Amino acid sequence: MKIALAQLNYHIGNFENNILKAHQAIEKAKEQNADLIVFAELAVSGYPPRDFLEFNHFIEKCNDAVEDIALKCEGIAAIVGAPVINWEGKGKPLYNSAVFCENGTIKTIRNKTLLPNYDIFDEYRYFEPNHQFDCIEFKGKKIALTVCEDLWNLDHNPLYKLNPMDELIQQKPDLMINIAASPFHFEQARIRKDVLTRNAKKYKLPLFYVNHVGAQTELLFDGGSLAINDKGGIVHEMKYFDEDIKVFDLDDVNASKTEAINHIAPAQVIKEEKIELIHDAIVMGIRNYFNKLGFKKAILGLSGGIDSAVTAVLAARALGGENVYCVLMPSQYSTEHSVSEAVELAENLKCKHDIIPIEDAYHSMEETLSKQFEGTEFGLTEENLQARLRGVILMGLSNKFGHILLNTSNKSEAAVGYGTLYGDMNGGLSVIGDVYKSDVFRLAHYINKDKEVIPHNTIVKPPSAELRPDQKDSDSLPDYSILDEILYQYIELRMGPVELQMRGYDEELIKRIMKLVNTNEYKRYQTPPILRVSSKAFGFGRRMPIVAKYLS
């Protein structure tokens, strides 16, 4: 039996596009004499459709899409992910299903058993879990067909009480197929490979796995679909961050001598891979965000600092430098080298750039508010006025010319509230909002690995918002090397103050950082979508109350 894995970039709710991609993949698979083609989880709708699933019309369009794809299944069978109506009259209204199509019709359906309901996942909100386990027979082979999370309940402390493959293995299947929507973070591919190869070893069966690729707003899918032999050896690993179709001969996979290896790498190996993965994921995320929304041009404020520099490079690589408009908005506190370095970077990227000083506008605001501010000292309010003036200029240009404003704030700043609402926190998309400042520096070095794109001084000078004389980030924040370590352990690893003290961090510093994080939740509620590259990003994967007292 020949099995084609179709790793495609779907578009949520764009049924014509998704159906066309499926048709084209089927034709390619037929040309290579494939017997079966496998599409990803919820392929017809795109993942995650979220509350679109509550609309009957949306579900009807999903059903029509599956039937359309089934009609193409003459001389080839297909497995396609789709939401399917639960007709039992009890439980949730839908199943998250793998639909098996053959001879121009829908032949049978297998439903997802384990519905993740943590971090970014919210599947139990919409779907009823499966309770019936049956293999599919095709071409004389029994297929154990599962959906994504169904293969992830292997750990010593399992999240679920049931393991679908423990049920299906009793029917003596010949192979496993898993269709998935496994979102990217920089450690996910290694974790995924470890889980899937352990399944193949445990059940002594070959495994064919197909994943989504592409970006759906803040969620990024890296692809990396797999063919694994019954020893847990990876026979083939498909492309990352790009569409791919590959046909596998089941006999060849079974005969493969590839041995299993340990896919959980040492921390140093992960660290070396991390920045390249984040770079590629963000470039894909920007490109897909613009393409799927029908936009072509971006605008951003280019300050001469490292955050806006890295954002500009990533945007230019995603969209082309000619489609990125860089606006320099120096104030009376901006240094000459910040302006000259920003100009140099824009020229390196071949981006259009303009210099719009804000000093006159700032003095006009001072005059406007002079009566109300009389007798007060220059402080944070005046600093924020400068940031908000820049936000007004950028949004004015965005509105006038239809460019999408890219936010340039990093995760360290977002975590502790080091940013101005309606100022430098403006934007339609947050590019590096899930990248800690320490990793922004690493991204800059990675960008410059072959030649100097970002001016050297932009990278090595002390970070500064340049909103008052001789200002440095270190005036307001702990050193980023320490701040980011504590933030990572608190946000990603969910360590509390006692655990952090046991790791040797200063008690008062821990309290200060945690208070900053928790009291600035209201700001993060108002930020643009943040491209997710970590295991715990700000956004709908991290749900915290605004009005709360804990650690604040």
Side-chain angles (χ1 to χ4, degrees):
M1 182 178 13
K2 288 188 174 182
I3 300 169
L5 300 185
Q7 176 180 290
L8 303 178
N9 186 348
Y10 303 102
H11 186 183
I12 294 171
N14 189 343
F15 294 101
E16 289 184 3
N17 169 79
N18 297 342
I19 292 168
L20 177 61
K21 283 181 178 287
H23 287 179
Q24 292 171 340
I26 288 170
E27 291 305 313
K28 287 182 182 178
K30 282 183 176 180
E31 290 170 5
Q32 298 179 64
N33 299 313
D35 300 296
L36 172 66
I37 184 168
V38 185
F39 299 97
E41 177 181 10
L42 294 182
V44 298
S45 63
Y47 188 99
R50 305 183 76 186
D51 281 4
F52 279 153
L53 293 168
E54 296 179 350
F55 290 84
N56 291 335
H57 178 259
F58 187 84
I59 302 305
E60 290 167 5
K61 297 285 282 185
C62 291
N63 293 341
D64 292 344
V66 174
E67 290 176 359
D68 195 317
I69 293 168
L71 290 173
K72 289 288 182 180
C73 294
E74 296 288 354
I76 190 171
I79 294 170
V80 58
V84 170
I85 294 173
N86 172 13
W87 295 107
E88 293 184 14
K90 56 184 177 181
K92 299 295 173 67
L94 300 169
Y95 290 107
N96 181 346
S97 303
V99 182
F100 184 76
C101 306
E102 187 182 16
N103 298 324
T105 63
I106 296 170
K107 185 174 180 181
T108 190
I109 296 171
R110 296 294 180 265
N111 302 319
K112 187 172 184 176
T113 304
L114 308 182
L115 301 175
N117 208 53
Y118 53 83
D119 194 61
I120 57 171
F121 300 106
D122 207 5
E123 292 193 22
Y124 197 66
R125 178 183 178 96
Y126 311 103
F127 299 117
E128 180 69 13
N130 169 62
H131 301 288
Q132 183 175 339
F133 300 93
D134 294 292
C135 292
I136 292 173
E137 296 196 19
F138 177 66
K139 295 283 183 179
K141 303 290 185 182
K142 283 186 178 180
I143 301 172
L145 177 57
T146 56
V147 182
C148 203
E149 188 90 347
D150 288 345
L151 292 186
W152 283 69
N153 204 37
L154 283 181
D155 295 328
H156 297 299
N157 185 24
L159 186 61
Y160 309 92
K161 295 181 178 179
L162 180 67
N163 192 325
M165 271 308 303
D166 285 349
E167 305 296 320
L168 291 169
I169 197 66
Q170 299 174 31
Q171 299 176 31
K172 295 182 170 48
D174 299 289
L175 68 151
M176 296 182 284
I177 291 177
N178 183 262
I179 66 172
S182 178
F184 169 85
H185 62 75
F186 65 83
E187 295 179 283
Q188 181 69 359
R190 288 188 172 277
I191 296 169
R192 185 193 302 137
K193 284 187 283 187
D194 177 66
V195 168
L196 295 172
T197 54
R198 284 197 288 138
N199 270 276
K201 286 175 66 177
K202 176 180 179 179
Y203 299 107
K204 297 179 174 57
L205 292 174
L207 169 59
F208 296 87
Y209 168 86
V210 63
N211 189 24
H212 282 248
V213 71
Q216 309 290 1
T217 314
E218 61 267 78
L219 287 192
L220 311 178
F221 294 88
D222 55 341
S225 302
L226 298 165
I228 303 170
N229 64 24
D230 60 1
K231 296 179 284 295
I234 294 177
V235 178
H236 186 81
E237 190 170 359
M238 291 169 67
K239 293 179 183 177
Y240 283 84
F241 306 111
D242 202 359
E243 293 188 323
D244 199 6
I245 298 174
K246 178 73 175 176
V247 177
F248 301 93
D249 189 303
L250 177 59
D251 290 339
D252 291 343
V253 173
N254 279 332
S256 168
K257 303 298 184 183
T258 305
E259 295 289 338
I261 62 172
N262 179 14
H263 294 284
I264 300 301
Q268 183 59 34
V269 175
I270 293 173
K271 186 176 180 180
E272 290 171 0
E273 292 179 341
K274 172 182 175 180
I275 298 304
E276 181 178 0
L277 288 171
I278 289 174
H279 172 279
D280 294 350
I282 290 176
V283 169
M284 180 191 72
I286 297 169
R287 183 179 295 129
N288 279 206
Y289 186 81
F290 277 73
N291 290 347
K292 290 180 179 181
L293 285 173
F295 295 113
K296 292 183 178 179
K297 294 185 180 293
I299 185 173
L300 59 91
L302 194 62
S303 67
I306 194 168
D307 295 325
S308 63
V310 167
T311 301
V313 174
L314 295 171
R317 292 181 175 182
L319 306 173
E322 69 279 7
N323 293 313
V324 180
Y325 179 22
C326 298
V327 184
L328 290 66
M329 296 167 286
S331 73
Q332 63 270 37
Y333 305 116
S334 299
T335 58
E336 287 185 13
H337 63 76
S338 289
V339 176
S340 63
E341 289 160 14
V343 170
E344 182 182 348
L345 175 62
E347 291 174 346
N348 288 347
L349 298 175
K350 296 179 170 56
C351 296
K352 175 186 174 182
H353 67 277
D354 280 325
I355 301 176
I356 305 176
I358 66 165
E359 184 172 359
D360 288 347
Y362 172 69
H363 289 319
S364 178
M365 285 300 299
E366 277 189 313
E367 179 64 27
T368 300
L369 294 168
S370 60
K371 180 179 178 181
Q372 287 75 22
F373 285 7
E374 186 176 1
T376 65
E377 298 292 327
F378 179 97
L380 187 60
T381 299
E382 286 75 16
E383 293 181 29
N384 286 340
L385 275 175
Q386 297 168 68
R388 291 190 174 110
L389 283 169
R390 289 177 172 132
V392 167
I393 291 168
L394 289 169
M395 286 308 303
L397 292 167
S398 172
N399 290 162
K400 180 63 73 175
F401 300 110
H403 295 19
I404 297 299
L405 176 58
L406 298 179
N407 179 269
T408 63
S409 301
N410 62 65
K411 189 171 188 176
S412 306
E413 293 171 344
V416 298
Y418 192 63
T420 304
L421 275 176
Y422 326 120
D424 59 337
M425 295 179 73
N426 283 358
L429 181 68
S430 177
V431 173
I432 57 170
D434 197 29
V435 182
Y436 289 111
K437 186 77 170 191
S438 303
D439 285 333
V440 175
F441 283 104
R442 296 184 182 103
L443 269 173
H445 286 294
Y446 177 79
I447 286 165
N448 280 6
K449 64 184 173 63
D450 297 320
K451 64 177 182 179
E452 185 173 290
V453 179
I454 299 173
H456 177 70
N457 193 55
T458 299
I459 300 174
V460 299
K461 68 185 179 185
S464 170
E466 295 190 334
L467 297 173
R468 64 175 183 263
D470 300 319
Q471 183 181 26
K472 302 289 186 293
D473 288 8
S474 55
D475 299 338
S476 305
L477 299 174
D479 184 86
Y480 281 116
S481 61
I482 300 298
L483 174 64
D484 290 352
E485 286 182 9
I486 293 175
L487 289 174
Y488 173 78
Q489 290 171 81
Y490 177 48
I491 295 168
E492 272 90 337
L493 303 184
R494 274 83 83 191
M495 288 188 182
V498 175
E499 293 165 294
L500 287 168
Q501 287 176 49
M502 291 174 63
R503 291 190 165 221
Y505 296 106
D506 178 73
E507 180 180 359
E508 290 305 312
L509 179 62
I510 293 167
K511 287 180 180 179
R512 178 189 170 199
I513 291 173
M514 289 187 172
K515 182 174 182 177
L516 285 170
V517 173
N518 291 347
T519 55
N520 282 286
E521 189 65 33
Y522 76 99
K523 285 188 177 181
R524 293 188 290 272
Y525 265 62
Q526 301 178 66
T527 55
I530 298 170
L531 295 178
R532 177 185 183 267
V533 297
S534 76
S535 60
K536 182 62 71 172
F538 295 127
F540 69 88
R542 186 179 188 271
R543 306 175 191 183
M544 296 292 178
I546 292 175
V547 181
K549 188 61 179 171
Y550 176 64
L551 299 177
S552 62

